[in-house]
Amino acid sequence: MFILFGSQVRGHSEPAGEYDCAVCGRRQTFSHVVEREFFTLFGIPLLQINTIADYLACDACSNSYSRGAMEEPSQIAVIRKVVAYIAVGYGTWDRFDTMADIFMKVTGRELDEAGFRADVRGVTNGEIDVHKLVGKLSANVNAHGKQQVIEAAFLATYASCELEYEDRLRVNLIGSSLGTSLEYVDSVINYVRSQGYYGVRRLLTSPQDG
Ligand SMILES: [Zn+2]
């Protein structure tokens, strides 16, 4: 007998009323989204396994917020730490302009220099566990925010080194902490490439960069 077991994530969204959106800069209607994972048999969801994520999302700009923390989308603070983590790994953390450029291209926001330097110190002395923070974020962020996290990790890597297998692996691990598949990470990276790496300049130059 051939039985096909699996799991599937389903999102349920309902109106959550109006909130001030920090990205739109005005009051907007929001949705409360709950993503649940179901056990499936022949592709039919049978049993809820667990709640994957629970967040508020702006209906206008699609940014997701942790409930009770509306000052900025949930991924922003974590992206700053992801960029610090990658930059510390390659010793490029003191190239603030490049890291600020990546942060701006991905999030549309200025990178706070004092905050970034504090994150660099935290990563260096082990007080900041980036994978743990990314894992926690996954419960309060939608696909839009996850895409930004992967874009930032990839671009910080791209700017800092000639990409080898281990460098891509590090980005994959961030995606894995975020609960995304390798295919999803690949698709985000391919998208960033198709957009000319958002014009981010590499800190290293090589012959193929022309
Ligand atoms: Zn908005």
Side-chain angles (χ1 to χ4, degrees):
M1 190 169 58
F2 173 71
I3 299 183
L4 194 63
F5 297 105
S7 70
Q8 192 181 94
V9 174
R10 295 198 151 192
H12 174 77
S13 168
E14 55 186 42
E18 290 192 347
Y19 292 89
D20 292 322
C21 176
V23 177
C24 295
R26 50 171 293 202
R27 219 153 168 81
Q28 298 284 20
T29 59
F30 275 68
S31 297
H32 175 209
V33 183
V34 180
E35 294 175 7
R36 296 187 173 92
E37 185 177 25
F38 288 87
F39 171 75
T40 61
L41 190 58
F42 297 110
I44 300 161
L46 289 182
L47 189 72
Q48 184 184 330
I49 305 168
N50 53 42
T51 298
I52 304 280
D54 185 326
Y55 52 83
L56 294 173
C58 172
D59 293 338
C61 69
S62 299
N63 274 285
S64 53
Y65 293 80
S66 300
R67 295 215 279 168
M70 302 300 290
E71 57 284 349
E72 62 181 15
S74 50
Q75 74 273 15
I76 300 296
V78 175
I79 289 176
R80 198 177 71 190
K81 291 172 172 64
V82 165
V83 171
Y85 166 72
I86 301 277
V88 166
Y90 292 106
T92 50
W93 56 270
D94 58 340
R95 306 296 292 270
F96 179 76
D97 289 350
T98 295
M99 299 308 153
D101 183 43
I102 290 167
F103 192 79
M104 172 60 82
K105 298 260 168 64
V106 171
T107 68
R109 289 168 165 252
E110 302 274 351
L111 179 59
D112 170 58
E113 186 160 2
F116 179 72
R117 293 201 183 282
D119 288 343
V120 164
R121 281 193 300 278
V123 167
T124 306
N125 65 24
E127 277 168 19
I128 293 176
D129 181 337
V130 162
H131 285 280
K132 204 167 155 188
L133 289 171
V134 170
K136 263 179 78 179
L137 171 68
S138 70
N140 298 295
V141 73
N142 61 6
H144 175 83
K146 288 179 181 178
Q147 179 177 341
Q148 288 187 356
V149 173
I150 294 166
E151 285 181 349
F154 174 66
L155 284 171
T157 306
Y158 165 79
S160 299
C161 71
E162 294 297 340
L163 280 135
E164 304 275 353
Y165 174 75
E166 313 85 73
D167 308 305
R168 266 301 303 274
L169 187 61
R170 201 167 290 109
V171 180
N172 289 346
L173 288 173
I174 296 275
S176 163
S177 295
L178 206 47
T180 63
S181 65
L182 283 179
E183 290 77 14
Y184 183 79
V185 174
D186 280 344
S187 69
V188 171
I189 288 175
N190 288 335
Y191 177 74
V192 172
R193 287 201 171 115
S194 77
Q195 299 301 305
Y197 302 89
Y198 296 153
V200 167
R201 298 178 74 94
R202 306 188 91 163
L203 294 167
L204 310 163
T205 50
S206 68
Q208 67 261 38
D209 289 323

